[in-house]
Amino acid sequence: MTEQEKSTEEIIFDAAQKVFVLKGFDGARMQEIAQEAKINKALLHYYYRTKEKLFHAIFERVLSYIIPRVLAFVESDEPIFSKIEFFVNTYVELLLKNPYIPNFVISELNRNPDSIAEMLGGLMVKNDALKKFTVLINKEIEKGTIRPIRPEHLFVNMISLCIFPFVARPIIQGVIFKNDKERYQEFLMERKKEVASFIINSIKIEK
Amino acid sequence: MTEQEKSTEEIIFDAAQKVFVLKGFDGARMQEIAQEAKINKALLHYYYRTKEKLFHAIFERVLSYIIPRVLAFVESDEPIFSKIEFFVNTYVELLLKNPYIPNFVISELNRNPDSIAEMLGGLMVKNDALKKFTVLINKEIEKGTIRPIRPEHLFVNMISLCIFPFVARPIIQGVIFKNDKERYQEFLMERKKEVASFIINSIKIEK
DNA sequence: GTCTATATATGGATAGAC
DNA sequence: GTCTATCCATATATAGAC
């Protein structure tokens, strides 16, 4: 779809996503979104009655883009260590392309922890990925491929190692890399391999 | 120091910290801070001319409270694995007591990545903890105690595993623990041991 | 130092013309 | 459907009395 074929509604939607993702709900200004979309402020209210509604639409879109991609790895037929490599690889890749999304999601969930429950619930429960992951891990533990570990901890560890360096980018880039943007970018790319092997080394049982 | 001995300035300062940490700069209201301090709104401006200045003071205080504690582990004389256990333990303990601080710091650094550089620089460079950590790790690799790993990755992994579950509390608590607050609290406490052994298992070389 | 009252600015939302 | 002009609520900040 070319730029010209985009409907005004879509143009607004994309502009809003850009601004909301960068600034968060409180920081975003309807005026700025209008400017970004090159239309008038009043038109925002014509399409999406309130700031809150517009934000909600964006938030839902972002989550339903991210979550299935994050959980897809559970479905594959690969052996467990390949699954983990696949997970880390696709996740870090995804974040390199959308580095501001984690902060956006987190700051919104901080602002409004409740309103989101249903939305998330819908996306996850339908998929049931977490249960599958638990079964999967417990099976590997029984087989003796990996050491005993609560699947919840393993899962949280996996996402922590992937996401946090993006969430805390300013501080890590500043403190460790003296604000050298390029070096931090390289560092993040290195993590595609590094994190996977960090996890695998931790849980693997040598035969 | 008892409550009554606290000066008005300190009372304001503490109230402001409470509100800013919970709501962030954009979300915080001077009115709310005044209420929390049980004083008048105008008095805030009498002591700290602007919201921005008040915030800055709070932010500096929080960082200088957190950072030295996080980096203290480098100094101890313990062997490396004890150091790691100590780090994870004190850090998670600290976060259990101050669960909103990570989000506060992160959201501010997101809002304003530059202004903070000097402040951080001062706290870290003086201490030079990172360089010490690098030396430490490289020495252990040479000795054959741990497998080869870039110290930067190891350090980022350590803080990621500790902090992220607090940053992403609403989402993890919601998705994995069906919003059961108590179970999530237990889960976080378990991590004091779990994360340490996760890291150690990953880097240790068996003799 | 602490208060009440008020100025000033900003930003979300609406009215109404085209 | 899109614009200009404007309303109105909110929030920071100041003036001035005590």
Side-chain angles (χ1 to χ4, degrees):
Chain A
M1 188 181 292
T2 72
E3 186 73 13
Q4 288 166 1
E5 281 164 343
K6 266 205 260 178
S7 69
T8 305
E9 191 167 356
E10 287 169 320
I11 292 171
I12 291 176
F13 209 54
D14 291 345
Q17 173 160 339
K18 198 165 169 185
V19 176
F20 275 133
V21 165
L22 274 171
K23 306 281 178 82
F25 181 83
D26 290 326
R29 296 288 166 257
M30 294 298 264
Q31 179 56 41
E32 197 180 344
I33 294 171
Q35 260 162 15
E36 181 69 36
K38 297 190 185 82
I39 51 102
N40 192 277
K41 208 172 54 158
L43 212 50
L44 295 178
H45 291 93
Y46 174 79
Y47 282 100
Y48 306 85
R49 278 180 32 76
T50 66
K51 184 185 181 184
E52 194 77 50
K53 282 193 210 308
L54 175 54
F55 181 87
H56 195 267
I58 300 291
F59 190 72
E60 197 161 344
R61 182 212 231 179
V62 169
L63 277 193
S64 56
Y65 172 78
I66 294 291
I67 294 191
R69 284 171 175 71
V70 172
L71 297 179
F73 81 107
V74 183
E75 307 292 345
S76 79
D77 276 339
E78 310 282 317
I80 181 69
F81 298 128
S82 307
K83 267 197 168 75
I84 291 172
E85 279 166 3
F86 177 78
F87 171 85
V88 173
N89 204 64
T90 52
Y91 209 171
V92 173
E93 203 78 66
L94 185 69
L95 293 174
L96 282 166
K97 276 178 209 140
N98 307 277
Y100 296 105
I101 284 185
N103 258 311
F104 166 69
V105 174
I106 283 165
S107 82
E108 169 54 15
L109 288 176
N110 207 38
R111 187 183 73 96
N112 187 359
D114 303 320
S115 78
I116 320 299
E118 345 81 78
M119 188 190 311
L120 266 179
L123 285 164
M124 299 288 291
V125 171
K126 204 189 301 172
N127 189 307
D128 220 4
L130 243 25
K131 199 163 239 169
K132 283 180 191 160
F133 182 75
T134 304
V135 171
L136 178 75
I137 294 303
N138 286 333
K139 209 171 280 175
E140 297 295 332
I141 295 172
E142 268 180 54
K143 277 201 289 180
T145 336
I146 66 178
R147 66 174 175 83
I149 184 171
R150 259 187 87 178
E152 290 92 337
H153 282 298
L154 179 55
F155 185 67
V156 169
N157 291 351
M158 284 166 63
I159 60 171
S160 300
L161 290 167
C162 290
I163 304 180
F164 191 74
F166 290 89
V167 172
R169 170 159 204 156
I171 197 165
I172 300 177
Q173 184 175 290
V175 171
I176 304 190
F177 295 97
K178 316 285 179 215
N179 263 317
D180 184 329
K181 219 184 145 176
E182 280 73 32
R183 277 178 63 216
Y184 195 61
Q185 197 69 15
E186 284 168 35
F187 178 74
L188 289 174
M189 283 174 2
E190 267 180 41
R191 289 185 71 78
K192 275 187 276 185
K193 291 201 162 179
E194 182 55 45
V195 167
S197 75
F198 190 83
I199 297 166
I200 292 170
N201 266 306
S202 180
I203 61 175
K204 189 181 202 168
I205 293 178
E206 304 290 345
K207 298 272 167 169
Chain B
M1 188 181 292
T2 71
E3 187 72 14
Q4 289 164 3
E5 280 165 344
K6 266 204 262 178
S7 69
T8 305
E9 190 167 357
E10 286 169 320
I11 292 172
I12 291 175
F13 209 54
D14 291 344
Q17 173 161 338
K18 199 166 167 183
V19 175
F20 276 133
V21 165
L22 275 171
K23 306 278 178 82
F25 181 82
D26 291 325
R29 296 287 166 256
M30 295 297 265
Q31 178 56 40
E32 197 180 345
I33 294 171
Q35 260 161 14
E36 181 70 36
K38 297 191 185 80
I39 51 103
N40 191 277
K41 212 173 49 160
L43 212 51
L44 295 177
H45 290 92
Y46 174 78
Y47 283 100
Y48 306 85
R49 278 182 32 74
T50 67
K51 183 185 181 185
E52 195 77 51
K53 282 192 210 308
L54 176 53
F55 181 87
H56 195 265
I58 299 291
F59 190 71
E60 197 161 345
R61 182 213 231 180
V62 168
L63 277 193
S64 56
Y65 172 78
I66 295 291
I67 293 189
R69 285 172 175 71
V70 171
L71 297 180
F73 82 106
V74 182
E75 306 292 345
S76 79
D77 276 338
E78 311 282 318
I80 181 68
F81 298 129
S82 308
K83 267 199 169 75
I84 291 173
E85 278 166 4
F86 177 78
F87 171 85
V88 173
N89 204 64
T90 51
Y91 208 171
V92 174
E93 203 78 66
L94 185 69
L95 293 174
L96 282 167
K97 276 178 209 141
N98 307 277
Y100 296 106
I101 284 186
N103 258 311
F104 166 70
V105 174
I106 283 165
S107 82
E108 170 53 15
L109 287 177
N110 207 38
R111 188 183 72 95
N112 187 359
D114 303 320
S115 76
I116 320 298
E118 346 79 79
M119 187 189 312
L120 266 180
L123 285 163
M124 299 288 292
V125 171
K126 204 189 301 173
N127 188 308
D128 220 5
L130 244 24
K131 199 165 240 169
K132 283 179 191 162
F133 182 76
T134 303
V135 172
L136 179 74
I137 294 303
N138 286 333
K139 210 171 279 174
E140 297 294 333
I141 294 172
E142 267 179 56
K143 278 201 289 180
T145 336
I146 66 178
R147 66 174 174 83
I149 183 170
R150 258 187 88 177
E152 290 92 337
H153 282 297
L154 179 56
F155 185 67
V156 169
N157 292 351
M158 285 165 63
I159 60 171
S160 299
L161 290 167
C162 290
I163 304 179
F164 191 73
F166 290 89
V167 173
R169 170 159 205 156
I171 197 165
I172 299 177
Q173 183 175 290
V175 171
I176 303 190
F177 296 97
K178 315 287 180 214
N179 263 317
D180 185 329
K181 217 185 146 175
E182 280 73 32
R183 276 178 64 217
Y184 195 62
Q185 197 69 14
E186 284 169 36
F187 178 74
L188 289 174
M189 282 172 4
E190 267 180 40
R191 289 185 70 78
K192 275 188 277 186
K193 291 201 162 179
E194 183 54 45
V195 167
S197 75
F198 189 83
I199 297 166
I200 292 171
N201 266 306
S202 180
I203 60 175
K204 190 180 202 166
I205 293 178
E206 305 290 346
K207 300 270 167 170

